[in-house]
Amino acid sequence: MGVDLNTLIADWSWLAEAPPRERLPRLRDAWYDEATGLWDHDGPDDGWEWPRGPHSTHFGVYEFPGTMGSYKPHFWAGQLWEKARDHVDTAVRAELDTLLGGLFWDGPDYDDEGPDEGRDFFPGSHGLLVAESPEGVRELLATWERVRPRLDELRAPFDEHSMEFRFSDFDSFVRLLADWGDVLAEAARRGWGIAGLSE
C-alpha cells in the first residue's frame, strides 16, 4: 500500500491560535468538515480546491495532476535527483538541493534531529510529510525562481544517469517541480505556510 500526499496551504496565524499540539488536528478537522464541499466531487482540473463554509479563508488544497494523490512521484523525483546531482553545475545543484530538501527530499546530509521551523510549528505531529512556514515558503519560492530558467541544463545528466529509475522521465520531473512552484507561489501570495499530510 502506498503513501498519499495531501498538500494544503494554510494561514499560519489562524493555526497559531491553537496550542502547538492542536494545530495539525485543527487543520485536519477543517479539511474534513463536510461544509467545505471538498468531498462532494472529483478532483479539480487545475489542481486547486478551495473550501466553502466557515473555513473558506483558512486553507486550500492542491492535488498534483497526474499523481492520483500518491507520494511515489515525489519520492522517485528525489531518487532521480540523487542519481543525477553529481553531474550538474554546482550552482544549480545547490539551488535544487535547497528546493527539493525543503519539499520532499531528505538530501545527502539529512538530519532529522536538526531544527526545522515548519515542523516545529506542529510538534509531535505524525503523518506530516512536508511543513514550511510562510518565511520558508518565500525562501523556497525565491530558490525556484532562480533555478527554473536553468532546468534545461539538467536534461542530459538526467537522461544519462537515471535510466534504471521508474520515475525516469525528465519532463515529468520538471512538471512536478513546476507544480510545486505553483504551490509555493500561491502560498507566498497569501502569506501562508504549507502542510503536506499523509493519509
PDB file of all heavy atoms in Angstrom, residues 26-48:
ATOM      1  N   ARG A  26      -6.367  20.783  14.162  1.00  0.00           N
ATOM      2  CA  ARG A  26      -7.267  21.861  13.755  1.00  0.00           C
ATOM      3  C   ARG A  26      -7.355  21.941  12.223  1.00  0.00           C
ATOM      4  O   ARG A  26      -8.438  22.099  11.665  1.00  0.00           O
ATOM      5  CB  ARG A  26      -6.781  23.200  14.324  1.00  0.00           C
ATOM      6  CG  ARG A  26      -7.697  24.347  14.001  1.00  0.00           C
ATOM      7  CD  ARG A  26      -7.232  25.657  14.594  1.00  0.00           C
ATOM      8  NE  ARG A  26      -8.394  26.508  14.791  1.00  0.00           N
ATOM      9  CZ  ARG A  26      -8.344  27.789  15.086  1.00  0.00           C
ATOM     10  NH1 ARG A  26      -7.180  28.398  15.245  1.00  0.00           N
ATOM     11  NH2 ARG A  26      -9.437  28.480  15.239  1.00  0.00           N
ATOM     12  N   LEU A  27      -6.210  21.834  11.567  1.00  0.00           N
ATOM     13  CA  LEU A  27      -6.203  21.874  10.111  1.00  0.00           C
ATOM     14  C   LEU A  27      -6.924  20.657   9.530  1.00  0.00           C
ATOM     15  O   LEU A  27      -7.730  20.788   8.608  1.00  0.00           O
ATOM     16  CB  LEU A  27      -4.763  21.944   9.598  1.00  0.00           C
ATOM     17  CG  LEU A  27      -4.584  22.008   8.085  1.00  0.00           C
ATOM     18  CD1 LEU A  27      -5.315  23.203   7.482  1.00  0.00           C
ATOM     19  CD2 LEU A  27      -3.090  22.046   7.732  1.00  0.00           C
ATOM     20  N   ARG A  28      -6.651  19.481  10.073  1.00  0.00           N
ATOM     21  CA  ARG A  28      -7.319  18.269   9.596  1.00  0.00           C
ATOM     22  C   ARG A  28      -8.837  18.364   9.787  1.00  0.00           C
ATOM     23  O   ARG A  28      -9.600  18.001   8.895  1.00  0.00           O
ATOM     24  CB  ARG A  28      -6.788  17.035  10.322  1.00  0.00           C
ATOM     25  CG  ARG A  28      -5.416  16.597   9.898  1.00  0.00           C
ATOM     26  CD  ARG A  28      -5.055  15.305  10.646  1.00  0.00           C
ATOM     27  NE  ARG A  28      -3.663  14.965  10.510  1.00  0.00           N
ATOM     28  CZ  ARG A  28      -3.152  14.270   9.531  1.00  0.00           C
ATOM     29  NH1 ARG A  28      -3.914  13.845   8.559  1.00  0.00           N
ATOM     30  NH2 ARG A  28      -1.859  13.984   9.508  1.00  0.00           N
ATOM     31  N   ASP A  29      -9.276  18.834  10.951  1.00  0.00           N
ATOM     32  CA  ASP A  29     -10.713  18.943  11.213  1.00  0.00           C
ATOM     33  C   ASP A  29     -11.383  19.900  10.239  1.00  0.00           C
ATOM     34  O   ASP A  29     -12.483  19.637   9.751  1.00  0.00           O
ATOM     35  CB  ASP A  29     -10.960  19.413  12.655  1.00  0.00           C
ATOM     36  CG  ASP A  29     -10.626  18.351  13.691  1.00  0.00           C
ATOM     37  OD1 ASP A  29     -10.448  17.169  13.314  1.00  0.00           O
ATOM     38  OD2 ASP A  29     -10.525  18.706  14.887  1.00  0.00           O
ATOM     39  N   ALA A  30     -10.722  21.012   9.954  1.00  0.00           N
ATOM     40  CA  ALA A  30     -11.286  21.971   8.994  1.00  0.00           C
ATOM     41  C   ALA A  30     -11.353  21.355   7.600  1.00  0.00           C
ATOM     42  O   ALA A  30     -12.349  21.519   6.886  1.00  0.00           O
ATOM     43  CB  ALA A  30     -10.439  23.241   8.973  1.00  0.00           C
ATOM     44  N   TRP A  31     -10.324  20.620   7.223  1.00  0.00           N
ATOM     45  CA  TRP A  31     -10.268  19.991   5.902  1.00  0.00           C
ATOM     46  C   TRP A  31     -11.352  18.927   5.756  1.00  0.00           C
ATOM     47  O   TRP A  31     -12.014  18.821   4.727  1.00  0.00           O
ATOM     48  CB  TRP A  31      -8.878  19.397   5.711  1.00  0.00           C
ATOM     49  CG  TRP A  31      -8.634  18.656   4.444  1.00  0.00           C
ATOM     50  CD1 TRP A  31      -9.153  18.910   3.201  1.00  0.00           C
ATOM     51  CD2 TRP A  31      -7.793  17.516   4.287  1.00  0.00           C
ATOM     52  NE1 TRP A  31      -8.671  18.011   2.283  1.00  0.00           N
ATOM     53  CE2 TRP A  31      -7.830  17.143   2.928  1.00  0.00           C
ATOM     54  CE3 TRP A  31      -6.994  16.793   5.162  1.00  0.00           C
ATOM     55  CZ2 TRP A  31      -7.111  16.066   2.429  1.00  0.00           C
ATOM     56  CZ3 TRP A  31      -6.268  15.726   4.661  1.00  0.00           C
ATOM     57  CH2 TRP A  31      -6.325  15.375   3.314  1.00  0.00           C
ATOM     58  N   TYR A  32     -11.560  18.122   6.805  1.00  0.00           N
ATOM     59  CA  TYR A  32     -12.548  17.048   6.757  1.00  0.00           C
ATOM     60  C   TYR A  32     -13.988  17.535   6.921  1.00  0.00           C
ATOM     61  O   TYR A  32     -14.918  16.769   6.677  1.00  0.00           O
ATOM     62  CB  TYR A  32     -12.265  16.010   7.843  1.00  0.00           C
ATOM     63  CG  TYR A  32     -11.054  15.150   7.585  1.00  0.00           C
ATOM     64  CD1 TYR A  32     -10.207  14.793   8.619  1.00  0.00           C
ATOM     65  CD2 TYR A  32     -10.759  14.669   6.312  1.00  0.00           C
ATOM     66  CE1 TYR A  32      -9.103  13.990   8.407  1.00  0.00           C
ATOM     67  CE2 TYR A  32      -9.655  13.871   6.082  1.00  0.00           C
ATOM     68  CZ  TYR A  32      -8.831  13.533   7.141  1.00  0.00           C
ATOM     69  OH  TYR A  32      -7.741  12.734   6.922  1.00  0.00           O
ATOM     70  N   ASP A  33     -14.182  18.755   7.358  1.00  0.00           N
ATOM     71  CA  ASP A  33     -15.526  19.283   7.592  1.00  0.00           C
ATOM     72  C   ASP A  33     -16.361  19.187   6.307  1.00  0.00           C
ATOM     73  O   ASP A  33     -15.947  19.666   5.251  1.00  0.00           O
ATOM     74  CB  ASP A  33     -15.413  20.742   8.038  1.00  0.00           C
ATOM     75  CG  ASP A  33     -16.734  21.309   8.518  1.00  0.00           C
ATOM     76  OD1 ASP A  33     -17.805  20.822   8.114  1.00  0.00           O
ATOM     77  OD2 ASP A  33     -16.686  22.281   9.302  1.00  0.00           O
ATOM     78  N   GLU A  34     -17.528  18.571   6.403  1.00  0.00           N
ATOM     79  CA  GLU A  34     -18.385  18.411   5.224  1.00  0.00           C
ATOM     80  C   GLU A  34     -18.816  19.745   4.641  1.00  0.00           C
ATOM     81  O   GLU A  34     -19.122  19.840   3.450  1.00  0.00           O
ATOM     82  CB  GLU A  34     -19.611  17.563   5.576  1.00  0.00           C
ATOM     83  CG  GLU A  34     -19.277  16.104   5.791  1.00  0.00           C
ATOM     84  CD  GLU A  34     -20.511  15.252   5.990  1.00  0.00           C
ATOM     85  OE1 GLU A  34     -21.622  15.715   5.663  1.00  0.00           O
ATOM     86  OE2 GLU A  34     -20.363  14.120   6.467  1.00  0.00           O
ATOM     87  N   ALA A  35     -18.839  20.787   5.472  1.00  0.00           N
ATOM     88  CA  ALA A  35     -19.268  22.107   4.988  1.00  0.00           C
ATOM     89  C   ALA A  35     -18.329  22.683   3.941  1.00  0.00           C
ATOM     90  O   ALA A  35     -18.698  23.602   3.205  1.00  0.00           O
ATOM     91  CB  ALA A  35     -19.399  23.086   6.160  1.00  0.00           C
ATOM     92  N   THR A  36     -17.116  22.136   3.835  1.00  0.00           N
ATOM     93  CA  THR A  36     -16.174  22.659   2.844  1.00  0.00           C
ATOM     94  C   THR A  36     -16.615  22.336   1.421  1.00  0.00           C
ATOM     95  O   THR A  36     -16.216  23.028   0.484  1.00  0.00           O
ATOM     96  CB  THR A  36     -14.762  22.066   3.040  1.00  0.00           C
ATOM     97  OG1 THR A  36     -14.822  20.647   2.827  1.00  0.00           O
ATOM     98  CG2 THR A  36     -14.210  22.389   4.422  1.00  0.00           C
ATOM     99  N   GLY A  37     -17.380  21.260   1.252  1.00  0.00           N
ATOM    100  CA  GLY A  37     -17.772  20.822  -0.081  1.00  0.00           C
ATOM    101  C   GLY A  37     -16.656  20.125  -0.839  1.00  0.00           C
ATOM    102  O   GLY A  37     -16.826  19.768  -2.010  1.00  0.00           O
ATOM    103  N   LEU A  38     -15.529  19.907  -0.191  1.00  0.00           N
ATOM    104  CA  LEU A  38     -14.382  19.298  -0.874  1.00  0.00           C
ATOM    105  C   LEU A  38     -14.585  17.814  -1.157  1.00  0.00           C
ATOM    106  O   LEU A  38     -13.875  17.244  -1.993  1.00  0.00           O
ATOM    107  CB  LEU A  38     -13.106  19.478  -0.042  1.00  0.00           C
ATOM    108  CG  LEU A  38     -12.647  20.911   0.189  1.00  0.00           C
ATOM    109  CD1 LEU A  38     -11.452  20.940   1.137  1.00  0.00           C
ATOM    110  CD2 LEU A  38     -12.299  21.582  -1.128  1.00  0.00           C
ATOM    111  N   TRP A  39     -15.519  17.203  -0.487  1.00  0.00           N
ATOM    112  CA  TRP A  39     -15.695  15.760  -0.591  1.00  0.00           C
ATOM    113  C   TRP A  39     -16.882  15.393  -1.485  1.00  0.00           C
ATOM    114  O   TRP A  39     -17.254  14.239  -1.573  1.00  0.00           O
ATOM    115  CB  TRP A  39     -15.873  15.167   0.809  1.00  0.00           C
ATOM    116  CG  TRP A  39     -14.780  15.625   1.706  1.00  0.00           C
ATOM    117  CD1 TRP A  39     -14.830  16.621   2.633  1.00  0.00           C
ATOM    118  CD2 TRP A  39     -13.429  15.153   1.732  1.00  0.00           C
ATOM    119  NE1 TRP A  39     -13.616  16.787   3.251  1.00  0.00           N
ATOM    120  CE2 TRP A  39     -12.735  15.898   2.707  1.00  0.00           C
ATOM    121  CE3 TRP A  39     -12.749  14.157   1.039  1.00  0.00           C
ATOM    122  CZ2 TRP A  39     -11.386  15.683   3.002  1.00  0.00           C
ATOM    123  CZ3 TRP A  39     -11.412  13.955   1.331  1.00  0.00           C
ATOM    124  CH2 TRP A  39     -10.740  14.701   2.307  1.00  0.00           C
ATOM    125  N   ASP A  40     -17.456  16.399  -2.158  1.00  0.00           N
ATOM    126  CA  ASP A  40     -18.679  16.181  -2.929  1.00  0.00           C
ATOM    127  C   ASP A  40     -18.443  15.909  -4.410  1.00  0.00           C
ATOM    128  O   ASP A  40     -19.395  15.717  -5.149  1.00  0.00           O
ATOM    129  CB  ASP A  40     -19.602  17.409  -2.822  1.00  0.00           C
ATOM    130  CG  ASP A  40     -20.021  17.692  -1.392  1.00  0.00           C
ATOM    131  OD1 ASP A  40     -19.955  16.770  -0.564  1.00  0.00           O
ATOM    132  OD2 ASP A  40     -20.403  18.838  -1.106  1.00  0.00           O
ATOM    133  N   HIS A  41     -17.193  15.924  -4.860  1.00  0.00           N
ATOM    134  CA  HIS A  41     -16.931  15.831  -6.299  1.00  0.00           C
ATOM    135  C   HIS A  41     -15.544  15.283  -6.554  1.00  0.00           C
ATOM    136  O   HIS A  41     -14.747  15.123  -5.630  1.00  0.00           O
ATOM    137  CB  HIS A  41     -17.078  17.211  -6.949  1.00  0.00           C
ATOM    138  CG  HIS A  41     -16.210  18.244  -6.298  1.00  0.00           C
ATOM    139  ND1 HIS A  41     -14.878  18.394  -6.612  1.00  0.00           N
ATOM    140  CD2 HIS A  41     -16.477  19.169  -5.323  1.00  0.00           C
ATOM    141  CE1 HIS A  41     -14.360  19.367  -5.879  1.00  0.00           C
ATOM    142  NE2 HIS A  41     -15.302  19.847  -5.088  1.00  0.00           N
ATOM    143  N   ASP A  42     -15.276  15.027  -7.827  1.00  0.00           N
ATOM    144  CA  ASP A  42     -13.939  14.583  -8.216  1.00  0.00           C
ATOM    145  C   ASP A  42     -12.951  15.738  -8.090  1.00  0.00           C
ATOM    146  O   ASP A  42     -13.341  16.904  -7.961  1.00  0.00           O
ATOM    147  CB  ASP A  42     -13.937  14.064  -9.655  1.00  0.00           C
ATOM    148  CG  ASP A  42     -14.721  12.766  -9.774  1.00  0.00           C
ATOM    149  OD1 ASP A  42     -14.817  12.043  -8.762  1.00  0.00           O
ATOM    150  OD2 ASP A  42     -15.244  12.490 -10.870  1.00  0.00           O
ATOM    151  N   GLY A  43     -11.676  15.417  -8.172  1.00  0.00           N
ATOM    152  CA  GLY A  43     -10.632  16.425  -8.044  1.00  0.00           C
ATOM    153  C   GLY A  43     -10.678  17.468  -9.145  1.00  0.00           C
ATOM    154  O   GLY A  43     -11.268  17.256 -10.203  1.00  0.00           O
ATOM    155  N   PRO A  44     -10.047  18.601  -8.932  1.00  0.00           N
ATOM    156  CA  PRO A  44     -10.067  19.714  -9.884  1.00  0.00           C
ATOM    157  C   PRO A  44      -9.129  19.472 -11.065  1.00  0.00           C
ATOM    158  O   PRO A  44      -8.182  18.695 -10.972  1.00  0.00           O
ATOM    159  CB  PRO A  44      -9.576  20.883  -9.042  1.00  0.00           C
ATOM    160  CG  PRO A  44      -8.645  20.247  -8.046  1.00  0.00           C
ATOM    161  CD  PRO A  44      -9.255  18.896  -7.733  1.00  0.00           C
ATOM    162  N   ASP A  45      -9.397  20.183 -12.151  1.00  0.00           N
ATOM    163  CA  ASP A  45      -8.527  20.071 -13.324  1.00  0.00           C
ATOM    164  C   ASP A  45      -7.209  20.808 -13.133  1.00  0.00           C
ATOM    165  O   ASP A  45      -6.171  20.379 -13.635  1.00  0.00           O
ATOM    166  CB  ASP A  45      -9.238  20.628 -14.562  1.00  0.00           C
ATOM    167  CG  ASP A  45     -10.416  19.753 -14.971  1.00  0.00           C
ATOM    168  OD1 ASP A  45     -10.374  18.539 -14.686  1.00  0.00           O
ATOM    169  OD2 ASP A  45     -11.360  20.291 -15.557  1.00  0.00           O
ATOM    170  N   ASP A  46      -7.237  21.936 -12.411  1.00  0.00           N
ATOM    171  CA  ASP A  46      -6.029  22.744 -12.265  1.00  0.00           C
ATOM    172  C   ASP A  46      -5.236  22.420 -11.005  1.00  0.00           C
ATOM    173  O   ASP A  46      -4.230  23.050 -10.718  1.00  0.00           O
ATOM    174  CB  ASP A  46      -6.378  24.226 -12.294  1.00  0.00           C
ATOM    175  CG  ASP A  46      -7.158  24.679 -11.061  1.00  0.00           C
ATOM    176  OD1 ASP A  46      -7.599  23.819 -10.267  1.00  0.00           O
ATOM    177  OD2 ASP A  46      -7.323  25.907 -10.884  1.00  0.00           O
ATOM    178  N   GLY A  47      -5.708  21.445 -10.232  1.00  0.00           N
ATOM    179  CA  GLY A  47      -5.006  21.057  -9.023  1.00  0.00           C
ATOM    180  C   GLY A  47      -5.540  21.693  -7.748  1.00  0.00           C
ATOM    181  O   GLY A  47      -5.427  21.113  -6.680  1.00  0.00           O
ATOM    182  N   TRP A  48      -6.126  22.879  -7.834  1.00  0.00           N
ATOM    183  CA  TRP A  48      -6.546  23.607  -6.642  1.00  0.00           C
ATOM    184  C   TRP A  48      -7.988  23.321  -6.264  1.00  0.00           C
ATOM    185  O   TRP A  48      -8.869  23.288  -7.108  1.00  0.00           O
ATOM    186  CB  TRP A  48      -6.391  25.113  -6.849  1.00  0.00           C
ATOM    187  CG  TRP A  48      -4.972  25.552  -6.778  1.00  0.00           C
ATOM    188  CD1 TRP A  48      -4.185  25.951  -7.820  1.00  0.00           C
ATOM    189  CD2 TRP A  48      -4.149  25.628  -5.611  1.00  0.00           C
ATOM    190  NE1 TRP A  48      -2.926  26.261  -7.372  1.00  0.00           N
ATOM    191  CE2 TRP A  48      -2.880  26.084  -6.025  1.00  0.00           C
ATOM    192  CE3 TRP A  48      -4.359  25.349  -4.259  1.00  0.00           C
ATOM    193  CZ2 TRP A  48      -1.823  26.265  -5.137  1.00  0.00           C
ATOM    194  CZ3 TRP A  48      -3.305  25.532  -3.369  1.00  0.00           C
ATOM    195  CH2 TRP A  48      -2.056  25.988  -3.810  1.00  0.00           C
TER     196      TRP A  48
END
